[in-house]
PDB file of all heavy atoms in Angstrom:
ATOM      1  N   GLN A 832      -1.219   7.183   8.008  1.00  0.00           N
ATOM      2  CA  GLN A 832      -1.478   6.047   8.820  1.00  0.00           C
ATOM      3  C   GLN A 832      -1.353   4.785   7.959  1.00  0.00           C
ATOM      4  O   GLN A 832      -1.785   4.771   6.843  1.00  0.00           O
ATOM      5  CB  GLN A 832      -2.945   6.096   9.431  1.00  0.00           C
ATOM      6  CG  GLN A 832      -3.068   7.297  10.518  1.00  0.00           C
ATOM      7  CD  GLN A 832      -2.155   7.077  11.695  1.00  0.00           C
ATOM      8  OE1 GLN A 832      -2.129   6.031  12.200  1.00  0.00           O
ATOM      9  NE2 GLN A 832      -1.659   8.242  12.181  1.00  0.00           N
ATOM     10  N   CYS A 833      -0.918   3.688   8.553  1.00  0.00           N
ATOM     11  CA  CYS A 833      -0.959   2.440   7.914  1.00  0.00           C
ATOM     12  C   CYS A 833      -2.251   1.986   7.601  1.00  0.00           C
ATOM     13  O   CYS A 833      -3.215   2.004   8.418  1.00  0.00           O
ATOM     14  CB  CYS A 833      -0.172   1.451   8.764  1.00  0.00           C
ATOM     15  SG  CYS A 833      -0.117  -0.164   8.176  1.00  0.00           S
ATOM     16  N   THR A 834      -2.583   1.664   6.310  1.00  0.00           N
ATOM     17  CA  THR A 834      -3.902   1.128   5.909  1.00  0.00           C
ATOM     18  C   THR A 834      -3.981  -0.364   5.983  1.00  0.00           C
ATOM     19  O   THR A 834      -5.094  -0.938   6.015  1.00  0.00           O
ATOM     20  CB  THR A 834      -4.294   1.636   4.541  1.00  0.00           C
ATOM     21  OG1 THR A 834      -3.277   1.143   3.528  1.00  0.00           O
ATOM     22  CG2 THR A 834      -4.433   3.048   4.449  1.00  0.00           C
ATOM     23  N   LEU A 835      -2.819  -1.058   6.103  1.00  0.00           N
ATOM     24  CA  LEU A 835      -2.842  -2.455   6.137  1.00  0.00           C
ATOM     25  C   LEU A 835      -3.123  -3.030   7.620  1.00  0.00           C
ATOM     26  O   LEU A 835      -4.042  -3.947   7.717  1.00  0.00           O
ATOM     27  CB  LEU A 835      -1.449  -3.047   5.783  1.00  0.00           C
ATOM     28  CG  LEU A 835      -1.282  -4.387   5.185  1.00  0.00           C
ATOM     29  CD1 LEU A 835      -2.383  -4.702   4.199  1.00  0.00           C
ATOM     30  CD2 LEU A 835      -0.004  -4.650   4.535  1.00  0.00           C
ATOM     31  N   ARG A 836      -2.620  -2.469   8.596  1.00  0.00           N
ATOM     32  CA  ARG A 836      -2.909  -2.761   9.980  1.00  0.00           C
ATOM     33  C   ARG A 836      -2.932  -4.349  10.334  1.00  0.00           C
ATOM     34  O   ARG A 836      -3.862  -4.767  10.939  1.00  0.00           O
ATOM     35  CB  ARG A 836      -4.203  -2.066  10.526  1.00  0.00           C
ATOM     36  CG  ARG A 836      -4.045  -0.611  10.426  1.00  0.00           C
ATOM     37  CD  ARG A 836      -5.258   0.052  10.897  1.00  0.00           C
ATOM     38  NE  ARG A 836      -6.486  -0.116  10.020  1.00  0.00           N
ATOM     39  CZ  ARG A 836      -6.683   0.642   9.025  1.00  0.00           C
ATOM     40  NH1 ARG A 836      -5.981   1.572   8.677  1.00  0.00           N
ATOM     41  NH2 ARG A 836      -7.888   0.318   8.312  1.00  0.00           N
ATOM     42  N   LEU A 837      -1.907  -5.087   9.900  1.00  0.00           N
ATOM     43  CA  LEU A 837      -1.889  -6.491  10.226  1.00  0.00           C
ATOM     44  C   LEU A 837      -1.572  -6.665  11.662  1.00  0.00           C
ATOM     45  O   LEU A 837      -0.994  -5.767  12.321  1.00  0.00           O
ATOM     46  CB  LEU A 837      -0.865  -7.090   9.348  1.00  0.00           C
ATOM     47  CG  LEU A 837      -1.172  -6.949   7.767  1.00  0.00           C
ATOM     48  CD1 LEU A 837       0.034  -7.690   6.954  1.00  0.00           C
ATOM     49  CD2 LEU A 837      -2.435  -7.778   7.377  1.00  0.00           C
ATOM     50  N   LEU A 849       4.853   3.377   0.687  1.00  0.00           N
ATOM     51  CA  LEU A 849       4.000   2.701  -0.187  1.00  0.00           C
ATOM     52  C   LEU A 849       4.450   1.367  -0.401  1.00  0.00           C
ATOM     53  O   LEU A 849       5.645   1.151  -0.950  1.00  0.00           O
ATOM     54  CB  LEU A 849       3.880   3.431  -1.459  1.00  0.00           C
ATOM     55  CG  LEU A 849       2.847   2.873  -2.551  1.00  0.00           C
ATOM     56  CD1 LEU A 849       1.448   3.053  -2.010  1.00  0.00           C
ATOM     57  CD2 LEU A 849       3.052   3.470  -3.900  1.00  0.00           C
ATOM     58  N   ALA A 850       3.810   0.363  -0.054  1.00  0.00           N
ATOM     59  CA  ALA A 850       4.148  -1.120  -0.203  1.00  0.00           C
ATOM     60  C   ALA A 850       3.340  -1.592  -1.397  1.00  0.00           C
ATOM     61  O   ALA A 850       2.167  -1.494  -1.477  1.00  0.00           O
ATOM     62  CB  ALA A 850       3.773  -1.888   1.055  1.00  0.00           C
ATOM     63  N   ILE A 852       1.665  -4.299  -3.918  1.00  0.00           N
ATOM     64  CA  ILE A 852       1.024  -5.517  -3.818  1.00  0.00           C
ATOM     65  C   ILE A 852       1.625  -6.434  -4.873  1.00  0.00           C
ATOM     66  O   ILE A 852       1.416  -6.165  -6.119  1.00  0.00           O
ATOM     67  CB  ILE A 852      -0.494  -5.414  -3.924  1.00  0.00           C
ATOM     68  CG1 ILE A 852      -1.113  -4.494  -2.777  1.00  0.00           C
ATOM     69  CG2 ILE A 852      -1.096  -6.826  -3.900  1.00  0.00           C
ATOM     70  CD1 ILE A 852      -2.453  -4.097  -3.022  1.00  0.00           C
ATOM     71  N   TYR A 867      -0.065   2.535  -8.278  1.00  0.00           N
ATOM     72  CA  TYR A 867      -1.520   2.488  -7.894  1.00  0.00           C
ATOM     73  C   TYR A 867      -1.855   1.134  -7.343  1.00  0.00           C
ATOM     74  O   TYR A 867      -3.016   0.972  -6.782  1.00  0.00           O
ATOM     75  CB  TYR A 867      -2.416   2.995  -8.967  1.00  0.00           C
ATOM     76  CG  TYR A 867      -2.399   2.231 -10.206  1.00  0.00           C
ATOM     77  CD1 TYR A 867      -3.073   1.024 -10.408  1.00  0.00           C
ATOM     78  CD2 TYR A 867      -1.554   2.716 -11.242  1.00  0.00           C
ATOM     79  CE1 TYR A 867      -3.127   0.374 -11.573  1.00  0.00           C
ATOM     80  CE2 TYR A 867      -1.536   1.911 -12.419  1.00  0.00           C
ATOM     81  CZ  TYR A 867      -2.223   0.868 -12.596  1.00  0.00           C
ATOM     82  OH  TYR A 867      -2.217   0.051 -13.850  1.00  0.00           O
ATOM     83  N   MET A 868      -1.060   0.079  -7.402  1.00  0.00           N
ATOM     84  CA  MET A 868      -1.274  -1.202  -6.927  1.00  0.00           C
ATOM     85  C   MET A 868      -0.416  -1.329  -5.687  1.00  0.00           C
ATOM     86  O   MET A 868       0.313  -2.245  -5.400  1.00  0.00           O
ATOM     87  CB  MET A 868      -0.878  -2.268  -7.842  1.00  0.00           C
ATOM     88  CG  MET A 868      -1.663  -2.306  -9.059  1.00  0.00           C
ATOM     89  SD  MET A 868      -1.231  -3.618 -10.139  1.00  0.00           S
ATOM     90  CE  MET A 868      -2.329  -3.380 -11.559  1.00  0.00           C
ATOM     91  N   GLY A 869      -0.649  -0.411  -4.707  1.00  0.00           N
ATOM     92  CA  GLY A 869       0.012  -0.386  -3.501  1.00  0.00           C
ATOM     93  C   GLY A 869      -0.779   0.066  -2.256  1.00  0.00           C
ATOM     94  O   GLY A 869      -1.929   0.512  -2.494  1.00  0.00           O
ATOM     95  N   VAL A 870      -0.328   0.023  -1.128  1.00  0.00           N
ATOM     96  CA  VAL A 870      -1.074   0.423   0.058  1.00  0.00           C
ATOM     97  C   VAL A 870      -0.017   1.208   0.983  1.00  0.00           C
ATOM     98  O   VAL A 870       1.185   1.011   0.875  1.00  0.00           O
ATOM     99  CB  VAL A 870      -1.630  -0.859   0.895  1.00  0.00           C
ATOM    100  CG1 VAL A 870      -2.579  -1.605   0.071  1.00  0.00           C
ATOM    101  CG2 VAL A 870      -0.425  -1.739   1.371  1.00  0.00           C
ATOM    102  N   PHE A 871      -0.646   1.913   1.910  1.00  0.00           N
ATOM    103  CA  PHE A 871       0.236   2.557   2.912  1.00  0.00           C
ATOM    104  C   PHE A 871       0.559   1.526   3.958  1.00  0.00           C
ATOM    105  O   PHE A 871      -0.366   0.988   4.577  1.00  0.00           O
ATOM    106  CB  PHE A 871      -0.472   3.816   3.559  1.00  0.00           C
ATOM    107  CG  PHE A 871      -0.959   4.893   2.589  1.00  0.00           C
ATOM    108  CD1 PHE A 871      -1.905   5.722   2.892  1.00  0.00           C
ATOM    109  CD2 PHE A 871      -0.117   5.102   1.435  1.00  0.00           C
ATOM    110  CE1 PHE A 871      -2.209   6.800   1.963  1.00  0.00           C
ATOM    111  CE2 PHE A 871      -0.379   6.136   0.609  1.00  0.00           C
ATOM    112  CZ  PHE A 871      -1.496   7.091   0.810  1.00  0.00           C
ATOM    113  N   ALA A 872       1.818   1.297   4.176  1.00  0.00           N
ATOM    114  CA  ALA A 872       2.201   0.254   5.129  1.00  0.00           C
ATOM    115  C   ALA A 872       3.311   0.751   6.142  1.00  0.00           C
ATOM    116  O   ALA A 872       4.283   1.340   5.546  1.00  0.00           O
ATOM    117  CB  ALA A 872       2.705  -1.086   4.394  1.00  0.00           C
ATOM    118  N   CYS A 873       3.143   0.543   7.332  1.00  0.00           N
ATOM    119  CA  CYS A 873       4.167   0.853   8.276  1.00  0.00           C
ATOM    120  C   CYS A 873       5.331  -0.292   8.014  1.00  0.00           C
ATOM    121  O   CYS A 873       5.142  -1.232   7.350  1.00  0.00           O
ATOM    122  CB  CYS A 873       3.661   0.673   9.635  1.00  0.00           C
ATOM    123  SG  CYS A 873       3.334  -1.025  10.200  1.00  0.00           S
ATOM    124  N   CYS A 876       4.189  -3.812   8.854  1.00  0.00           N
ATOM    125  CA  CYS A 876       3.280  -4.429   7.937  1.00  0.00           C
ATOM    126  C   CYS A 876       4.027  -4.671   6.530  1.00  0.00           C
ATOM    127  O   CYS A 876       3.687  -5.588   5.828  1.00  0.00           O
ATOM    128  CB  CYS A 876       2.093  -3.576   7.803  1.00  0.00           C
ATOM    129  SG  CYS A 876       0.976  -3.707   9.228  1.00  0.00           S
ATOM    130  N   ILE A 880       3.981  -7.954   4.232  1.00  0.00           N
ATOM    131  CA  ILE A 880       3.465  -8.016   2.811  1.00  0.00           C
ATOM    132  C   ILE A 880       4.503  -8.504   1.798  1.00  0.00           C
ATOM    133  O   ILE A 880       4.251  -9.060   0.869  1.00  0.00           O
ATOM    134  CB  ILE A 880       2.683  -6.651   2.419  1.00  0.00           C
ATOM    135  CG1 ILE A 880       1.850  -6.909   1.338  1.00  0.00           C
ATOM    136  CG2 ILE A 880       3.787  -5.619   2.213  1.00  0.00           C
ATOM    137  CD1 ILE A 880       1.056  -5.610   0.834  1.00  0.00           C
ATOM    138  N   THR A 889      -4.388 -11.765   5.168  1.00  0.00           N
ATOM    139  CA  THR A 889      -5.113 -12.453   4.019  1.00  0.00           C
ATOM    140  C   THR A 889      -5.258 -11.333   2.942  1.00  0.00           C
ATOM    141  O   THR A 889      -5.086 -10.178   2.989  1.00  0.00           O
ATOM    142  CB  THR A 889      -6.454 -12.919   4.459  1.00  0.00           C
ATOM    143  OG1 THR A 889      -7.252 -11.712   4.801  1.00  0.00           O
ATOM    144  CG2 THR A 889      -6.452 -13.934   5.672  1.00  0.00           C
ATOM    145  N   TYR A 890      -5.723 -11.936   1.695  1.00  0.00           N
ATOM    146  CA  TYR A 890      -5.919 -11.013   0.633  1.00  0.00           C
ATOM    147  C   TYR A 890      -7.105 -10.064   0.948  1.00  0.00           C
ATOM    148  O   TYR A 890      -7.162  -9.040   0.414  1.00  0.00           O
ATOM    149  CB  TYR A 890      -6.188 -11.784  -0.637  1.00  0.00           C
ATOM    150  CG  TYR A 890      -4.988 -12.224  -1.361  1.00  0.00           C
ATOM    151  CD1 TYR A 890      -4.526 -13.502  -1.320  1.00  0.00           C
ATOM    152  CD2 TYR A 890      -4.216 -11.241  -2.111  1.00  0.00           C
ATOM    153  CE1 TYR A 890      -3.253 -13.825  -1.900  1.00  0.00           C
ATOM    154  CE2 TYR A 890      -3.029 -11.554  -2.710  1.00  0.00           C
ATOM    155  CZ  TYR A 890      -2.599 -12.814  -2.616  1.00  0.00           C
ATOM    156  OH  TYR A 890      -1.399 -13.161  -3.182  1.00  0.00           O
ATOM    157  N   LYS A 891      -8.023 -10.514   1.868  1.00  0.00           N
ATOM    158  CA  LYS A 891      -9.053  -9.593   2.220  1.00  0.00           C
ATOM    159  C   LYS A 891      -8.461  -8.381   2.943  1.00  0.00           C
ATOM    160  O   LYS A 891      -8.876  -7.307   2.761  1.00  0.00           O
ATOM    161  CB  LYS A 891      -9.971 -10.316   3.178  1.00  0.00           C
ATOM    162  CG  LYS A 891     -11.172  -9.514   3.660  1.00  0.00           C
ATOM    163  CD  LYS A 891     -12.118 -10.337   4.606  1.00  0.00           C
ATOM    164  CE  LYS A 891     -13.300  -9.591   5.009  1.00  0.00           C
ATOM    165  NZ  LYS A 891     -14.157 -10.422   5.970  1.00  0.00           N
ATOM    166  N   ASP A 892      -7.451  -8.627   3.833  1.00  0.00           N
ATOM    167  CA  ASP A 892      -6.835  -7.513   4.534  1.00  0.00           C
ATOM    168  C   ASP A 892      -6.073  -6.593   3.485  1.00  0.00           C
ATOM    169  O   ASP A 892      -6.226  -5.421   3.574  1.00  0.00           O
ATOM    170  CB  ASP A 892      -5.657  -8.030   5.442  1.00  0.00           C
ATOM    171  CG  ASP A 892      -6.319  -8.814   6.629  1.00  0.00           C
ATOM    172  OD1 ASP A 892      -7.281  -8.541   7.157  1.00  0.00           O
ATOM    173  OD2 ASP A 892      -5.670  -9.871   6.880  1.00  0.00           O
ATOM    174  N   ILE A 893      -5.493  -7.180   2.533  1.00  0.00           N
ATOM    175  CA  ILE A 893      -4.708  -6.375   1.477  1.00  0.00           C
ATOM    176  C   ILE A 893      -5.647  -5.616   0.711  1.00  0.00           C
ATOM    177  O   ILE A 893      -5.484  -4.424   0.391  1.00  0.00           O
ATOM    178  CB  ILE A 893      -3.803  -7.320   0.723  1.00  0.00           C
ATOM    179  CG1 ILE A 893      -2.736  -7.931   1.517  1.00  0.00           C
ATOM    180  CG2 ILE A 893      -3.299  -6.535  -0.585  1.00  0.00           C
ATOM    181  CD1 ILE A 893      -1.977  -9.035   0.851  1.00  0.00           C
ATOM    182  N   LEU A 894      -6.806  -6.198   0.252  1.00  0.00           N
ATOM    183  CA  LEU A 894      -7.818  -5.583  -0.528  1.00  0.00           C
ATOM    184  C   LEU A 894      -8.485  -4.437   0.116  1.00  0.00           C
ATOM    185  O   LEU A 894      -8.641  -3.378  -0.457  1.00  0.00           O
ATOM    186  CB  LEU A 894      -8.808  -6.548  -1.032  1.00  0.00           C
ATOM    187  CG  LEU A 894      -9.976  -6.042  -1.982  1.00  0.00           C
ATOM    188  CD1 LEU A 894      -9.425  -5.430  -3.273  1.00  0.00           C
ATOM    189  CD2 LEU A 894     -11.054  -7.081  -2.219  1.00  0.00           C
ATOM    190  N   GLY A 895      -8.693  -4.571   1.417  1.00  0.00           N
ATOM    191  CA  GLY A 895      -9.292  -3.532   2.271  1.00  0.00           C
ATOM    192  C   GLY A 895      -8.302  -2.345   2.348  1.00  0.00           C
ATOM    193  O   GLY A 895      -8.690  -1.191   2.176  1.00  0.00           O
ATOM    194  N   ALA A 896      -7.002  -2.663   2.545  1.00  0.00           N
ATOM    195  CA  ALA A 896      -5.967  -1.581   2.597  1.00  0.00           C
ATOM    196  C   ALA A 896      -5.866  -0.880   1.225  1.00  0.00           C
ATOM    197  O   ALA A 896      -5.809   0.430   1.224  1.00  0.00           O
ATOM    198  CB  ALA A 896      -4.702  -2.197   3.017  1.00  0.00           C
ATOM    199  N   GLN A 897      -5.881  -1.735   0.180  1.00  0.00           N
ATOM    200  CA  GLN A 897      -5.804  -0.983  -1.198  1.00  0.00           C
ATOM    201  C   GLN A 897      -6.944  -0.133  -1.413  1.00  0.00           C
ATOM    202  O   GLN A 897      -6.883   1.018  -1.881  1.00  0.00           O
ATOM    203  CB  GLN A 897      -5.656  -2.022  -2.231  1.00  0.00           C
ATOM    204  CG  GLN A 897      -5.547  -1.382  -3.605  1.00  0.00           C
ATOM    205  CD  GLN A 897      -5.291  -2.393  -4.772  1.00  0.00           C
ATOM    206  OE1 GLN A 897      -5.965  -3.374  -4.680  1.00  0.00           O
ATOM    207  NE2 GLN A 897      -4.484  -2.051  -5.673  1.00  0.00           N
ATOM    208  N   ASN A 898      -8.246  -0.554  -1.076  1.00  0.00           N
ATOM    209  CA  ASN A 898      -9.403   0.296  -1.122  1.00  0.00           C
ATOM    210  C   ASN A 898      -9.324   1.610  -0.435  1.00  0.00           C
ATOM    211  O   ASN A 898      -9.732   2.699  -0.916  1.00  0.00           O
ATOM    212  CB  ASN A 898     -10.705  -0.513  -0.923  1.00  0.00           C
ATOM    213  CG  ASN A 898     -11.051  -1.603  -1.791  1.00  0.00           C
ATOM    214  OD1 ASN A 898     -10.545  -1.592  -2.963  1.00  0.00           O
ATOM    215  ND2 ASN A 898     -11.759  -2.550  -1.372  1.00  0.00           N
ATOM    216  N   GLU A 899      -8.867   1.455   0.833  1.00  0.00           N
ATOM    217  CA  GLU A 899      -8.705   2.653   1.713  1.00  0.00           C
ATOM    218  C   GLU A 899      -7.623   3.638   1.121  1.00  0.00           C
ATOM    219  O   GLU A 899      -7.867   4.821   1.075  1.00  0.00           O
ATOM    220  CB  GLU A 899      -8.332   2.203   3.063  1.00  0.00           C
ATOM    221  CG  GLU A 899      -8.322   3.227   4.129  1.00  0.00           C
ATOM    222  CD  GLU A 899      -8.036   2.778   5.516  1.00  0.00           C
ATOM    223  OE1 GLU A 899      -8.341   1.572   5.779  1.00  0.00           O
ATOM    224  OE2 GLU A 899      -7.464   3.527   6.324  1.00  0.00           O
ATOM    225  N   THR A 900      -6.545   3.082   0.589  1.00  0.00           N
ATOM    226  CA  THR A 900      -5.511   3.903  -0.019  1.00  0.00           C
ATOM    227  C   THR A 900      -5.997   4.612  -1.363  1.00  0.00           C
ATOM    228  O   THR A 900      -5.818   5.781  -1.437  1.00  0.00           O
ATOM    229  CB  THR A 900      -4.285   3.021  -0.329  1.00  0.00           C
ATOM    230  OG1 THR A 900      -3.846   2.391   0.828  1.00  0.00           O
ATOM    231  CG2 THR A 900      -3.128   3.845  -0.954  1.00  0.00           C
ATOM    232  N   LEU A 901      -6.651   3.828  -2.160  1.00  0.00           N
ATOM    233  CA  LEU A 901      -7.240   4.424  -3.399  1.00  0.00           C
ATOM    234  C   LEU A 901      -8.257   5.510  -3.095  1.00  0.00           C
ATOM    235  O   LEU A 901      -8.301   6.516  -3.756  1.00  0.00           O
ATOM    236  CB  LEU A 901      -7.849   3.314  -4.279  1.00  0.00           C
ATOM    237  CG  LEU A 901      -6.992   2.385  -5.040  1.00  0.00           C
ATOM    238  CD1 LEU A 901      -7.718   1.235  -5.604  1.00  0.00           C
ATOM    239  CD2 LEU A 901      -6.245   3.209  -6.143  1.00  0.00           C
ATOM    240  N   LYS A 902      -9.106   5.242  -2.147  1.00  0.00           N
ATOM    241  CA  LYS A 902     -10.077   6.337  -1.721  1.00  0.00           C
ATOM    242  C   LYS A 902      -9.438   7.584  -1.293  1.00  0.00           C
ATOM    243  O   LYS A 902      -9.923   8.631  -1.636  1.00  0.00           O
ATOM    244  CB  LYS A 902     -10.983   5.621  -0.479  1.00  0.00           C
ATOM    245  CG  LYS A 902     -12.005   6.588  -0.041  1.00  0.00           C
ATOM    246  CD  LYS A 902     -12.837   6.072   1.030  1.00  0.00           C
ATOM    247  CE  LYS A 902     -13.937   6.843   1.657  1.00  0.00           C
ATOM    248  NZ  LYS A 902     -13.518   7.895   2.559  1.00  0.00           N
ATOM    249  N   TYR A 903      -8.351   7.432  -0.422  1.00  0.00           N
ATOM    250  CA  TYR A 903      -7.552   8.661  -0.064  1.00  0.00           C
ATOM    251  C   TYR A 903      -7.086   9.324  -1.338  1.00  0.00           C
ATOM    252  O   TYR A 903      -7.092  10.524  -1.507  1.00  0.00           O
ATOM    253  CB  TYR A 903      -6.460   8.311   0.836  1.00  0.00           C
ATOM    254  CG  TYR A 903      -5.514   9.409   1.161  1.00  0.00           C
ATOM    255  CD1 TYR A 903      -5.768  10.363   2.100  1.00  0.00           C
ATOM    256  CD2 TYR A 903      -4.239   9.537   0.457  1.00  0.00           C
ATOM    257  CE1 TYR A 903      -4.895  11.481   2.292  1.00  0.00           C
ATOM    258  CE2 TYR A 903      -3.370  10.573   0.737  1.00  0.00           C
ATOM    259  CZ  TYR A 903      -3.783  11.455   1.599  1.00  0.00           C
ATOM    260  OH  TYR A 903      -2.847  12.545   1.832  1.00  0.00           O
ATOM    261  N   TRP A 904      -6.341   8.654  -2.263  1.00  0.00           N
ATOM    262  CA  TRP A 904      -5.753   9.196  -3.428  1.00  0.00           C
ATOM    263  C   TRP A 904      -6.857   9.907  -4.277  1.00  0.00           C
ATOM    264  O   TRP A 904      -6.696  11.069  -4.798  1.00  0.00           O
ATOM    265  CB  TRP A 904      -5.093   8.188  -4.303  1.00  0.00           C
ATOM    266  CG  TRP A 904      -3.804   7.783  -3.811  1.00  0.00           C
ATOM    267  CD1 TRP A 904      -2.901   8.427  -2.962  1.00  0.00           C
ATOM    268  CD2 TRP A 904      -3.116   6.479  -4.008  1.00  0.00           C
ATOM    269  NE1 TRP A 904      -1.809   7.827  -2.666  1.00  0.00           N
ATOM    270  CE2 TRP A 904      -1.956   6.519  -3.312  1.00  0.00           C
ATOM    271  CE3 TRP A 904      -3.475   5.357  -4.716  1.00  0.00           C
ATOM    272  CZ2 TRP A 904      -1.031   5.512  -3.362  1.00  0.00           C
ATOM    273  CZ3 TRP A 904      -2.600   4.314  -4.753  1.00  0.00           C
ATOM    274  CH2 TRP A 904      -1.386   4.375  -4.014  1.00  0.00           C
TER     275      TRP A 904
END
Side-chain angles (χ1 to χ4, degrees):
Q832 294 295 320
C833 179
T834 57
L835 206 45
R836 297 183 296 273
L837 300 173
L849 184 68
I852 300 168
Y867 59 84
M868 293 182 181
V870 299
F871 297 154
C873 69
C876 290
I880 197 174
T889 65
Y890 277 103
K891 183 177 177 183
D892 298 320
I893 294 169
L894 181 60
Q897 185 180 33
N898 289 340
E899 191 175 331
T900 303
L901 285 168
K902 181 178 183 278
Y903 171 79
W904 284 333

